[in-house]
Structure formats: structure tokens, C-alpha cells
Amino acid sequence: VSFVLNNRPGLSIPEETRRRVLDAARRLDYHPHASARALAAGRSDIVLLSIPDLPIGQGISRFVEELAAALAEHGLTLVTHLAGRNGKPLPDVCAAVGASAVTGLEPLGAEMVDALHAAGASVVLFQSDEEGSVMRSVGRIQAEHLIELGHRRLGYVLSSDDALRRMGEERLLGTTAACAAAELEPPAVVTAGLEVDEAASAVERLRTLSVTGVCAFNDETAIAVLAGLREHGLQAPGDIAVIGADDIPTAAVATPPLTSVRFNLPQAGRRRAEAIVDALANRAKTPPPQGVGADLQLVRRAST
Amino acid sequence: VSFVLNNRPGLSIPEETRRRVLDAARRLDYHPHASARALAAGRSDIVLLSIPDLPIGQGISRFVEELAAALAEHGLTLVTHLAGRNGKPLPDVCAAVGASAVTGLEPLGAEMVDALHAAGASVVLFQSDEEGSVMRSVGRIQAEHLIELGHRRLGYVLSSDDALRRMGEERLLGTTAACAAAELEPPAVVTAGLEVDEAASAVERLRTLSVTGVCAFNDETAIAVLAGLREHGLQAPGDIAVIGADDIPTAAVATPPLTSVRFNLPQAGRRRAEAIVDALANRAKTPPPQGVGADLQLVRRAST
DNA sequence: ATGAAAGCGCTAACAA
DNA sequence: TTGTTAGCGCTTTCAT
């Protein structure tokens, strides 16, 4: 019965018998019990995705969707856990659902990896923390675009929100690296929140530093900078070119429409799924983390 | 041992024994096995949250955070499932994780509720589909605000995106109801995507219908409408007042800053958690769905 | 090709 | 108060 219900490969079962089993199952309204199955088999079909506190752009759901779909094709079930200071820590959740793989977009410390393995995860696959990290790549791509357009003095606008600021500092590293590579000074760094006057004074500082092109931490900040420019009667890209990141929906309707860096979420999701299935098959506990620089693309609009 | 490790109430165990057990557990690096526990106990501590395909505003994570935190206080673990056309259907996920409760923000059909129970969920708690539904309330609040400001001819702007359009039609019902309640004609309905010319022509149609106040399906659409107005050399709120919904971060930095309707996610999350804990204790299988109208609030800014 | 049975790691009822 | 044991619903090995 178990063989039939699980469609176990490499086994010859008479069509007649198979039919009878399936038939009885239907008649009895049989539903496999996941916990029992997991207990007996020693593994579950559950993959846990950790979603970090700082939303990497709202489009994240496209990543999840692709990932879930691709995993489902291999019989795996995706559930997600949204990190939060007061919820349960990731390893607890991992243990609670009996996940056999855990993955996520944020880089992970070694002690966390160990904790996850201890919690029963047989594969743990996170994003690379190395040179090629997405965060840094975003900043790099922004800068390279501006440099290519001829700007020689760049600025960078961090968010005044604490969590977002940290994320921005990560992206800034890429911008700084790109400047260095082009033999330019490092970018002038200013901070702005999502209020017009903050943005306006950020713009002022940038101007006094004779910056002509600015990378904003993300599109929201970029839009605020655009508002700040208007406040001074200035325009992008004429007076200062501005480029955002994440390509949120409002970027396209900003005035002027905002150039941005988009993360190709669906593609990243599919690749991640593949890597997980692979690792699960090869019983590789912690495969080399993935780089995702290849999943970024520039979306050029009027603001640069 | 089981009693000690589970801290089972209503049982007197000598401190000495308790210590020895806990001690041994630590020494052996003991980790409870969730699947085995669930199998034997017949229930798990897992609550599954279904997140619909259409993001109810990106702030949804605030809801999840509160929900997770409040559940954690009762020993429950929250995992989420992001709906997607190609992922596994909700009941499958529910069965796979052995969830003992399933909840979500979208209203649910009766057949889905049954399927979830069949999948092993002992409580299923979704949002009310009735008069007081959030979606409708959003539209109602928008309209009431404009009416209060003296507008007698309202317009409603749907999104041209398919999924968002359906969501908008739901919100529109509330706007229509509010108009009826004030003895006004139903709102003039137009559609616009996130491109300036679409928005501009939507504005044009609205003007020919002598609309003076428009409810946009959401903030993104509202910002597009603002851009459409500028395109015609018009301004909000002077020529047409516009109000959005969801209160996304960019709403505050739009020109002019956008009046919007915000969903008090943290509060809704806490109330939901409470209801689940309650239902789980009372063994009520499908408690009456919750209304969340009380969790909405108007955020007045310059655009109206 | 099929039937029988030994666990998987726990909980909870029962005995001692 | 503590020890013993029968399952929970499945998988998988071993006989048949």
C-alpha cells in the first residue's frame, strides 16, 4: 500500500493491485499524515524560507512564488518565516515544522548554520556574503551607470531609518568600489528620510560638494530626493542625475520617471530552488552559498 | 521526563528530579522532535498564515510580526504561505506542516474551510466576508472623507492590473455604498495603470464628468493620478482632490503629500492571535470570522 | 508480488 | 512520585 501510494519507483506492481489500493484510498477518504510520514521516513518535504526583517523591495513575492513553484515540481512544500524580533527564532521554527532544508536571501552566520542543522535541517542554503553579494552589486551598478554617463563626482543618499541605513551602507560599499575602480573620489554620503525638507537639505549639501550624480539607497529615498530637487527649483537629470534601487512600481510614475536597479526575482527564485533540490539529493549539508549578481539589471528612465 | 520537559501543569514533581531531567537533557544535547511529538499528541503548535496573492500593502509584515509575537507568547509557532498560482494549494501546505490552525486576511469559501479541516487543521479563522470587510471599509472611508469635505461628485480609479482590479472592485463597493448613504450618485469609475499618459487620460475623463474628488484604488494609483493632473497643469486638491489607500511610504513624499487610508496592522495582528489562541482552547473549529473595520484609519495630508 | 512486523520519537494512560 | 507500556500513522526490511 505504501509503495503504491507513494508511487515508489523501481518496483513492479500489478496494475490491478495498484487500482485496488488507490480505489480503497479514495473510498476511505484517506489523507496521508505528514507528521507520521516524516517521523518514519526521517525526512520531510518541507523547505523553510527565511524572509529578513528589511524588505528587499516588495517584489520579494515574485521570488517566493517562483521558488515555491519550482520546489513543488519536485514534491517539496515551501513555507516562509518572516523574521521579527519577537517571533520565534529561525531554528525553533525550523524544528517546529520539521523542515529538511532552510534557505533565505540574507547572508547567515556560521553559528546560525550550526543551529539550523541541530534543529534538524539537512540542508542550509543562504546567500553569499562575499564580494559578489547582491547588496553591494546594487550600489556598484548604480555607480557604473552614472560614471558611464560621464559623472565624475558622485553622491550617495542613505535612509535615516535605522534598519534601512544598515542595508544602505552595504549597498554603498558597492558604489564606493565602483568609484575606486574608475579612479574617482569616493561618493559624498548624506542621509535623508522620507520628508521633503530633509531631502531638500540633503540636496543642498550635495550641491555644495559639486555632486552631479547621486545614487539613492532605494527608490523611496530617490523619490524623496527628486522632491528635494523640486523644492530648490532644480531638475533631474539636468541639475543632478538620480538613480534609485529596487524598481518599485511608483518609480515609473515619479517625476521624472526614475532610473533604477531591478532584482530579477523570478530568475533568482528558480535558481535557488534548483540548488536546494540538488543539495537535498546529494545530501550536501551546506553547499557553497550562491551569488546573485547575475540577477540584477538596470532599468533606465528619465532621471539620469 | 516528558512531563518535566513539557512543563506539564497540574503536576507536582520534586525539584531534584526536575533538575536531573533538565540536566541530562542538556548533557545529551536533547532536541524534541516536532514530528514525533505531533504524531503522538495528535496536535501541533503550528499556525499557518495564508498571505494572498495581492499584497494588501507592503506593511503586511507588521501584521505578521505582531501575530507571530503574540502567538509565540502562547507557545505557538507561526509560518506563512504565500499564495501563488503554481505553488501548492493551501490545504496541501496545511497538511504538510501539520498546522493545527490556519488563518489569513482574505475571506475564504466554505469548500476551502472544509478542505482545510480535512487537511487536519482544527481551527480555521479567516476574515469576514460580510458588510464590514476591510476592503469595502477602505473604499467607504475614502468616500466619507471626500463627502465630508463637501465633494458631491466622486470618481473612483481602478488599477489596470488584473488582480489589483478585482481588489479595487471590492473597495469600490464601499465607495459606492458611502455615496448612496449620502444620497449622491454612484462614483464615476475609470481605469488607469502606472503610466503618466494613462493617468492623464483618466483625469480627462473624470473632468468631463465634473468629478471634484477621486478615490484611487491604492496609493500607487493615486500617485499616478497626481502625475496625470500635473500633465494637464492641474493641481490637487484645488482642481481635483485625490485620496489613496494603504499609506505606503512614498505617499508622504508625493507632490502634494497624499491623503490615504491606513490599516492598523499591528492591532489587527494582535487581535487575530488572541482569537486563534481562544479558538484553539475552546476547540471551536470555525469561529465567526472577524471584522477589521476598526483597524482602519484616515491619514489626512495635502492632496484632499 | 504480497504480507508481516519492527521501529521512527514521542505522549499519556496505567501500574507500581 | 516514578516506571512501564501501548500506541500515534507511517516506511522499510524481511519473509513468504
XYZ file of all heavy atoms in Angstrom, chain D:
325
model
P 4.421 14.666 44.499
O 5.212 15.863 44.774
O 3.243 14.779 43.651
O 5.392 13.613 43.814
C 6.591 13.263 44.450
C 6.984 11.924 43.902
O 5.805 11.113 43.733
C 7.635 11.995 42.523
O 8.997 11.641 42.696
C 6.899 10.963 41.670
C 6.055 10.180 42.689
N 4.735 9.704 42.181
C 4.611 8.372 41.859
O 5.514 7.571 41.940
N 3.351 8.005 41.409
C 2.244 8.830 41.287
O 1.178 8.394 40.886
C 2.448 10.197 41.654
C 1.333 11.188 41.570
C 3.676 10.595 42.079
P 10.039 11.629 41.531
O 11.407 11.566 42.097
O 9.662 12.720 40.625
O 9.746 10.249 40.830
C 10.281 9.064 41.412
C 9.804 7.875 40.607
O 8.367 7.898 40.473
C 10.361 7.822 39.185
O 11.120 6.634 39.092
C 9.125 7.796 38.295
C 8.061 7.262 39.253
N 6.658 7.580 38.918
C 5.825 6.541 38.630
O 6.164 5.372 38.626
N 4.526 6.922 38.338
C 4.014 8.196 38.321
O 2.843 8.395 38.050
C 4.951 9.245 38.632
C 4.516 10.659 38.642
C 6.224 8.897 38.915
P 12.062 6.409 37.820
O 13.417 6.059 38.297
O 11.877 7.523 36.872
O 11.393 5.082 37.224
C 10.984 4.075 38.148
C 10.214 2.997 37.420
O 8.825 3.402 37.264
C 10.725 2.684 36.029
O 10.658 1.262 35.852
C 9.747 3.412 35.103
C 8.441 3.352 35.896
N 7.567 4.497 35.663
C 7.911 5.821 35.736
N 6.916 6.630 35.507
C 5.838 5.796 35.269
C 4.480 6.099 34.967
O 3.962 7.207 34.854
N 3.712 4.945 34.790
C 4.193 3.668 34.903
N 3.313 2.687 34.701
N 5.458 3.364 35.192
C 6.221 4.477 35.365
P 10.986 0.563 34.488
O 11.503 -0.792 34.768
O 11.785 1.535 33.695
O 9.546 0.412 33.844
C 8.548 -0.308 34.567
C 7.361 -0.571 33.673
O 6.563 0.638 33.532
C 7.721 -1.021 32.253
O 6.887 -2.123 31.966
C 7.424 0.214 31.403
C 6.255 0.849 32.167
N 6.058 2.323 32.011
C 4.788 2.803 31.742
O 3.811 2.110 31.587
N 4.715 4.180 31.661
C 5.762 5.079 31.807
O 5.564 6.285 31.717
C 7.048 4.495 32.087
C 8.236 5.372 32.259
C 7.146 3.158 32.172
P 6.974 -2.914 30.613
O 6.503 -4.276 30.899
O 8.304 -2.666 30.013
O 5.839 -2.159 29.754
C 4.506 -2.191 30.225
C 3.596 -1.495 29.216
O 3.726 -0.064 29.324
C 3.909 -1.833 27.751
O 2.687 -1.933 27.066
C 4.680 -0.618 27.282
C 3.922 0.479 28.030
N 4.640 1.770 28.174
C 3.898 2.930 28.185
O 2.692 2.956 28.088
N 4.650 4.081 28.327
C 6.032 4.165 28.445
O 6.581 5.250 28.566
C 6.720 2.910 28.422
C 8.216 2.891 28.542
C 6.012 1.779 28.283
P 2.537 -2.981 25.916
O 2.286 -4.316 26.504
O 3.649 -2.774 24.976
O 1.177 -2.467 25.266
C 0.167 -1.903 26.103
C -0.466 -0.721 25.386
O 0.357 0.465 25.551
C -0.595 -0.931 23.884
O -1.807 -0.331 23.463
C 0.610 -0.187 23.306
C 0.690 0.984 24.266
N 2.034 1.558 24.383
C 3.243 0.909 24.395
N 4.265 1.708 24.535
C 3.692 2.968 24.631
C 4.249 4.245 24.792
N 5.554 4.466 24.907
N 3.399 5.301 24.838
C 2.087 5.063 24.731
N 1.444 3.901 24.584
C 2.315 2.883 24.534
P -2.435 -0.694 22.132
O -3.526 0.264 21.792
O -2.682 -2.156 22.162
O -1.180 -0.469 21.144
C -1.374 0.226 19.924
C -1.646 1.700 20.203
O -0.627 2.170 21.131
C -1.511 2.529 18.940
O -2.561 3.466 18.883
C -0.185 3.253 19.067
C 0.044 3.281 20.572
N 1.478 3.128 20.827
C 2.208 1.954 20.854
N 3.477 2.151 21.098
C 3.587 3.534 21.247
C 4.722 4.338 21.518
O 5.880 3.985 21.698
N 4.385 5.693 21.571
C 3.125 6.197 21.393
N 2.997 7.512 21.469
N 2.055 5.460 21.149
C 2.365 4.144 21.080
P -3.265 3.744 17.528
O -4.727 3.827 17.797
O -2.725 2.781 16.544
O -2.721 5.180 17.120
C -3.080 6.375 17.817
C -2.179 7.459 17.313
O -0.899 7.358 17.974
C -1.885 7.353 15.821
O -2.780 8.216 15.123
C -0.441 7.834 15.685
C 0.128 7.805 17.124
N 1.288 6.893 17.339
C 2.470 7.369 17.906
O 2.548 8.569 18.209
N 3.502 6.512 18.102
C 3.373 5.214 17.759
N 4.415 4.405 17.991
C 2.172 4.716 17.185
C 1.171 5.582 16.983
P -3.732 7.577 13.998
O -4.789 8.567 13.748
O -4.064 6.176 14.334
O -2.795 7.540 12.713
C -2.203 8.744 12.258
C -1.107 8.393 11.285
O -0.060 7.710 11.977
C -1.539 7.472 10.150
O -1.106 8.074 8.958
C -0.838 6.155 10.437
C 0.384 6.642 11.185
N 0.963 5.688 12.106
C 0.300 4.719 12.839
N 1.097 4.004 13.591
C 2.369 4.520 13.349
C 3.633 4.147 13.880
O 3.882 3.270 14.706
N 4.653 4.923 13.361
C 4.486 5.930 12.447
N 5.586 6.569 12.056
N 3.321 6.294 11.936
C 2.300 5.552 12.435
P -1.244 7.511 7.550
O -1.811 8.542 6.702
O -1.818 6.156 7.584
O 0.229 7.282 7.296
C 1.179 7.433 6.493
C 2.516 7.185 7.121
O 2.416 6.479 8.369
C 3.391 6.297 6.259
O 4.073 7.136 5.327
C 4.358 5.686 7.260
C 3.637 5.817 8.602
N 3.336 4.539 9.294
C 4.367 3.870 9.949
O 5.522 4.322 9.898
N 4.084 2.728 10.631
C 2.841 2.263 10.672
N 2.611 1.143 11.373
C 1.777 2.916 9.991
C 2.063 4.048 9.318
P 4.686 6.463 4.035
O 5.030 7.547 3.114
O 3.775 5.375 3.602
O 6.027 5.789 4.593
C 7.074 6.626 5.045
C 8.252 5.774 5.433
O 7.858 4.794 6.421
C 8.878 4.994 4.289
O 10.279 5.050 4.501
C 8.352 3.580 4.471
C 8.233 3.496 5.992
N 7.189 2.587 6.550
C 7.554 1.727 7.563
O 8.673 1.641 8.005
N 6.523 0.946 8.051
C 5.207 0.956 7.637
O 4.385 0.222 8.160
C 4.907 1.869 6.566
C 3.491 1.949 6.035
C 5.890 2.636 6.066
P 11.295 4.777 3.306
O 12.368 5.765 3.382
O 10.527 4.599 2.064
O 11.884 3.363 3.738
C 12.190 3.146 5.119
C 12.450 1.675 5.369
O 11.228 1.039 5.813
C 12.905 0.890 4.136
O 13.901 -0.015 4.584
C 11.654 0.149 3.714
C 11.055 -0.151 5.093
N 9.619 -0.479 5.107
C 9.132 -1.307 6.091
O 9.830 -1.794 6.957
N 7.786 -1.546 6.024
C 6.902 -1.061 5.071
O 5.711 -1.347 5.121
C 7.477 -0.204 4.074
C 6.607 0.388 2.992
C 8.794 0.046 4.126
P 14.983 -0.569 3.555
O 16.065 0.426 3.467
O 14.305 -1.031 2.324
O 15.514 -1.837 4.372
C 15.467 -1.809 5.812
C 14.953 -3.148 6.335
O 13.518 -3.214 6.220
C 15.509 -4.355 5.564
O 16.052 -5.265 6.519
C 14.280 -4.921 4.837
C 13.156 -4.505 5.793
N 11.801 -4.417 5.174
C 10.735 -5.040 5.785
O 10.854 -5.681 6.810
N 9.523 -4.880 5.149
C 9.275 -4.186 3.991
O 8.147 -4.123 3.522
C 10.421 -3.550 3.395
C 10.263 -2.775 2.114
C 11.617 -3.691 4.000
P 16.953 -6.522 6.029
O 18.066 -6.629 6.992
O 17.216 -6.412 4.573
O 15.944 -7.735 6.264
C 15.222 -7.797 7.498
C 14.138 -8.837 7.380
O 12.992 -8.272 6.689
C 14.568 -10.078 6.587
O 14.260 -11.223 7.368
C 13.726 -9.993 5.297
C 12.488 -9.241 5.793
N 11.750 -8.527 4.719
C 10.349 -8.562 4.710
O 9.747 -9.185 5.586
N 9.668 -7.916 3.701
C 10.358 -7.258 2.779
N 9.647 -6.638 1.829
C 11.783 -7.203 2.771
C 12.434 -7.846 3.751
P 14.869 -12.602 6.980
O 15.759 -12.995 8.070
O 15.378 -12.550 5.571
O 13.564 -13.484 7.035
C 12.458 -13.052 6.273
C 11.166 -13.653 6.791
O 10.111 -12.874 6.206
C 10.935 -15.072 6.277
O 9.941 -15.710 7.071
C 10.459 -14.820 4.854
C 9.721 -13.465 4.970
N 10.116 -12.545 3.884
C 11.389 -12.177 3.528
N 11.427 -11.358 2.509
C 10.089 -11.167 2.192
C 9.449 -10.401 1.210
N 10.117 -9.653 0.331
N 8.096 -10.428 1.153
C 7.446 -11.175 2.040
N 7.924 -11.934 3.026
C 9.265 -11.893 3.026
P 9.583 -17.249 6.674
O 8.957 -17.822 7.886
O 10.778 -17.848 6.057
O 8.451 -17.108 5.570
C 7.221 -16.455 5.886
C 6.424 -16.261 4.609
O 7.093 -15.327 3.757
C 6.272 -17.542 3.777
O 4.893 -17.876 3.757
C 6.756 -17.157 2.375
C 6.735 -15.650 2.432
N 7.702 -14.963 1.528
C 7.202 -14.133 0.548
O 6.038 -13.936 0.373
N 8.172 -13.540 -0.236
C 9.550 -13.710 -0.141
O 10.314 -13.128 -0.903
C 9.992 -14.598 0.897
C 11.457 -14.856 1.080
C 9.064 -15.189 1.687
